[in-house]
């Protein structure tokens, strides 16, 4: 399998500020990869360098086989980009806007189908200007996917979405991933990462502080479990690295246990720990 994104020692210095402090990343073809980190961590800067929208100070970057700092129009047509800031709303309708963008690409998706996929069919005839913030964001997503990209960059794509729109968006990303689209996503929503990402990297102060799958980040799967149950004496809670053993002992001694739960740290617990450990 080839690598859609390969980054080594990536650095970006703004005057007086090191925004990206030497990042390594490998994203294989077809993977959904999430970048997570607090405000100002360097996610957008990193993504903009990979999109060819910003020059790096040093380091190596290869995106779909080319250096994003010098790659041309044919390369750009293979990318889909949903920026953090929304597209300027013109006088055009949703359908006109999506059809217009489709013409820039050699092998676009059907604009009507795309409008349907982002849940805007009922608004197809409305001017983009008249839409709500969340609906405009859906237009951004439509414009990001209409060119049938091999690699899709999504910078905080669901900010402003209502819960139903987020679920619909997740289903769309799943469908794109099934078709083989590689996706690089930045988000602040940990449930979004758990729902969508094959792997993620946590960035803090310009550096990758942890990388893994949502289930294993920061040794999450090996962390102590909390076993809770109830009996006639009240609620019980025990921490153990071996919950299976504890539960089978309890079951052998007492039979069925009321209110039994076994929990390990959530992705959010692990994430906050990683961020908190920053000097
Ligand atoms: N054009 C610029 N000139 C100077 N400093 C910048 C510029 N763009 C970003 N920065 C700084 O670089 C750092 C990283 O910013 P970046 O936008 O990459 O963070 P982020 O992780 O995407 O944050 P957020 O989650 O808030 O979007 C921040 O401290 C920011 O203030």
């Amino acid at each position: 399998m080839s690598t859609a994104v390969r980054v080594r020692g990536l650095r970006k210095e703004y005057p007086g500020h090191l925004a990206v402090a030497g990042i390594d990343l490998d994203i294989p073809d077809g993977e959904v990869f999430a970048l997570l980190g607090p405000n100002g961590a360097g996610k957008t800067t990193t993504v903009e360098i990979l999109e060819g929208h910003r020059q790096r100070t040093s380091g190596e970057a290869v995106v779909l086989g080319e250096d994003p700092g010098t790659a041309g129009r044919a390369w750009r047509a293979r990318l889909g980009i949903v920026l953090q800031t929304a597209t300027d709303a013109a006088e055009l309708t949703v359908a006109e806007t999506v059809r217009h963008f489709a013409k820039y690409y050699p092998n676009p998706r059907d604009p009507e189908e795309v409008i349907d996929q982002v849940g805007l069919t009922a608004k197809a005839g409305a001017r983009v200007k008249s839409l709500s913030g969340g609906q405009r964001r859906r237009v951004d997503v439509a414009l990001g996917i209409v060119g049938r990209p091999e690699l899709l960059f999504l910078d905080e794509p669901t900010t402003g979405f209502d819960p139903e729109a987020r679920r619909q968006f997740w289903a769309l990303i799943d469908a794109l991933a099934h078709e083989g689209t590689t996706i690089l996503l930045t988000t602040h929503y940990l449930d979004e990462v758990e729902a969508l990402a094959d792997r993620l990297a946590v960035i803090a102060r310009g550096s990758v502080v942890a990388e893994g799958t949502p289930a294993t980040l920061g040794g999450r799967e090996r962390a102590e479990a909390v076993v809770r149950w109830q009996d006639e004496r009240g609620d019980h809670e025990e921490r153990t690295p071996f919950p299976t053993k504890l539960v089978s002992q309890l079951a052998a001694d007492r039979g069925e246990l009321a209110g039994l739960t076994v929990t390990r740290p959530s992705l959010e617990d692990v994430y906050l720990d990683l961020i908190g450990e920053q000097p």
Side-chain angles (χ1 to χ4, degrees), residues 14 17 19 38-45 54 84 156 188:
Y14 295 115
H17 183 72
N39 291 134
K43 304 179 298 294
T44 298
T45 303
R54 205 171 273 285
Q84 206 174 91
E156 299 186 19
H188 289 289

Side-chain angles (χ1 to χ4, degrees), residues 70-83:
T70 54
R73 283 186 60 169
W75 173 81
R76 203 162 285 277
R78 297 165 64 200
L79 308 180
I81 296 178
V82 177
L83 297 172

